[in-house]
Amino acid sequence: QVQLVQSGAEVKKPGASVKVSCKASGYTFRSYGISWVRQAPGQGLEWMGWISGHNGNSNYAQKVQGRITLTMDTSTSTAYMELRGLRSDDTAVYYCARHGPGILYYFDYWGQGTLVTVSS
Amino acid sequence: DIQMTQSPSSLSASVGDRVIIGCRASQSISNYLTWYQQKPGKAPQLLIYAASSLQSGVPSRFSGSGSGTDFTLTISSLQPEDFATYYCQQSYSLPWTFGQGTKVEIK
């Protein structure tokens, strides 16, 4: 069965960087894209960016453009999200989510989430 | 960016009620509309994609309709496990955006 397992919670100081991993299993990793979505405490969902499993191309939301990098390691079926220059409003649960088949770009499987807390 | 507006933001309903949640896009998105359910402390789960296609394993009491700018999610007979927050999401154009959510609470 498809599973996305994310790395554990992180506590970071303002200005630091965080790198969250998302290990996929149960499907052909390179056949699907991965998006990253975050959710601040008590708030809604915010799409941050996606990476293509086919060619590693990525696209980012303007709000985090310049601070975010999405990568993947096909040898371990793992996707990564690095966010730099952390601020207090980056405190959130970060989810990775697999794209469904085709070009509709919905998210059919999600990781369990990784809480990133930014605090001095 | 395409803005997604859900209505209502919250509602109270009883088990067995028919519940309808609306989602409006700020411009036409064809049928590039997805619905998710999220329970507290859990990741969102896919319910409906392409506006009206039921994801495998999702109970048939959930249905979606609409095209263009106006969409609805209907729960035909609310069950105890359906109390949750529901989000719509457009994937017509980048950046992909979500509605603000509709919280369905027990009356």
Side-chain angles (χ1 to χ4, degrees), chain A residues 46-49 59-68 87, chain B residues 1 94-95:
Chain A
E46 178 186 19
W47 177 79
M48 300 177 67
N59 193 289
Y60 305 123
Q62 184 134 16
K63 187 174 180 182
V64 293
Q65 179 88 42
R67 296 197 297 131
I68 188 173
R87 310 185 289 241
Chain B
D1 298 3
L94 290 166

Side-chain angles (χ1 to χ4, degrees), chain A residues 39 47 95 104 106-107 110-111, chain B residues 34 36 38 42-43 91 96:
Chain A
Q39 187 169 38
W47 177 79
Y95 296 101
L104 291 171
Y106 58 89
F107 312 134
W110 294 64
Chain B
T34 305
Y36 302 93
Q38 187 180 34
K42 299 294 187 182
S91 54
W96 300 322

Side-chain angles (χ1 to χ4, degrees), chain B residues 30-47:
Chain B
S30 184
N31 70 333
Y32 286 74
L33 192 283
T34 305
W35 290 98
Y36 302 93
Q37 177 194 68
Q38 187 180 34
K39 295 180 179 179
K42 299 294 187 182
Q45 287 193 297
L46 173 65
L47 296 175

Side-chain angles (χ1 to χ4, degrees), chain B residues 11-15 78 80 83 104-107:
Chain B
L11 64 91
S12 295
S14 301
V15 172
L78 198 66
F83 292 96
V104 177
E105 299 176 299
I106 301 173
K107 187 181 244 181

